[in-house]
Amino acid sequence: QSALTQPPSASGSPGQSVTISCTGTSSDVGGYNYVSWYQQHPGKAPKLMIYEVSKRPSGVPDRFSGSKSDNTASLTVSGLQAEDEADYYCTSYAGSSTLFGGGTKLTVL
Amino acid sequence: EVQLVESGGGLVQPGTSLRLSCAASGFTFEDYAIHWVRQTPGKGLEWVSGISWNSKNIGYADSVRGRFTISRDNAKNSLFLQMNSLRPEDTALYYCARDGFNSGWPTDAFDIWGQGTMVTVSS
């Protein structure tokens, strides 16, 4: 059960777009469409932003989008806003378990 | 209000046991799979364990299998995590989280999270 691989940091200016990657294997990300993304602000519980690769829960702005190609999933944040600055985690079902990525700190410059 | 509230955390010595609880309210508890996820201070998230709505499907991370036991009581809208043989590396904030899209397996996504209960394992 190895963690999914995310870049430790990402950044962008307000209004720009940023994409965060999440790399796994054919046994997790590549094998199932159960990839989700979470946003976590300091001292807060994680918040679901994307589920089943590209679906947005009610209330999540359409600036957030998800996709997947082979063993890599991606979260794109368009039209960056100051409140988007947070840690982002990906997860994937992996057969008998669920794996998290190591997290990416998104900085809005 | 849809809510999960964890309790039972604390400071314990290595090798001892602790039982965490998670109380659900505002939704039909028995309709959902529920999971435990932990976060080491200043670090990332780690899935610990999950249980289907009827307790027939249960999963554990390799790091806790054989030491932790998850269970639920649908009549009391409660989830539990019995943690035995605790190690310093189990020190973390433990969240319970609802799978909002699947009552069993496979795990889909966690749409509701509690605020967490802190477990510290230290001598």
Side-chain angles (χ1 to χ4, degrees):
Chain A
Q1 295 179 343
S2 300
L4 307 175
T5 300
Q6 295 182 236
S9 63
S11 63
S13 300
Q16 289 186 332
S17 293
V18 170
T19 296
I20 299 170
S21 62
C22 171
T23 301
T25 69
S26 59
S27 297
D28 39 71
V29 174
Y32 306 95
N33 286 324
Y34 293 111
V35 175
S36 52
W37 290 89
Y38 302 84
Q39 176 192 68
Q40 187 179 35
H41 287 110
K44 300 293 187 180
K47 174 186 177 183
L48 178 64
M49 305 302 285
I50 296 288
Y51 69 102
E52 293 176 13
V53 177
S54 59
K55 298 178 180 178
R56 271 189 315 275
S58 174
V60 172
D62 60 7
R63 302 185 294 103
F64 292 84
S65 62
S67 63
K68 188 183 81 166
S69 177
D70 296 328
N71 298 335
T72 298
S74 298
L75 172 72
T76 297
V77 186
S78 304
L80 271 175
Q81 298 182 5
E83 59 262 36
D84 299 333
E85 184 162 297
D87 293 326
Y88 291 83
Y89 296 90
C90 63
T91 71
S92 175
Y93 179 65
S96 60
S97 63
T98 293
L99 299 178
F100 275 88
T104 297
K105 183 174 182 59
L106 175 60
T107 301
V108 180
L109 301 171
Chain B
E1 180 188 4
V2 175
Q3 198 172 357
L4 295 170
V5 178
E6 304 91 339
S7 61
L11 172 62
V12 296
Q13 293 191 333
T16 61
S17 300
L18 204 57
R19 188 188 196 214
L20 304 184
S21 299
C22 171
S25 59
F27 65 97
T28 304
F29 184 69
E30 63 186 11
D31 284 349
Y32 297 90
I34 310 289
H35 297 253
W36 289 100
V37 176
R38 67 186 180 185
Q39 185 165 33
T40 309
K43 297 279 182 69
L45 298 165
E46 179 189 16
W47 177 81
V48 173
S49 180
I51 185 168
S52 63
W53 69 279
N54 59 1
S55 303
K56 290 190 183 302
N57 293 100
I58 288 175
Y60 298 98
D62 288 346
S63 57
V64 307
R65 186 176 291 111
R67 300 187 298 123
F68 290 11
T69 302
I70 191 172
S71 62
R72 64 189 294 163
D73 184 339
N74 287 342
K76 296 183 177 179
N77 294 335
S78 296
L79 174 76
F80 307 99
L81 186 67
Q82 178 66 42
M83 304 186 295
N84 298 331
S85 303
L86 281 162
R87 305 167 179 169
E89 54 264 37
D90 295 318
T91 295
L93 183 64
Y94 284 74
Y95 293 102
C96 60
R98 185 183 83 170
D99 185 337
F101 309 94
N102 199 344
S103 60
W105 249 239
T107 304
D108 197 328
F110 309 129
D111 67 335
I112 302 296
W113 296 67
Q115 285 305 304
T117 185
M118 187 67 201
V119 173
T120 303
V121 184
S122 175
S123 55

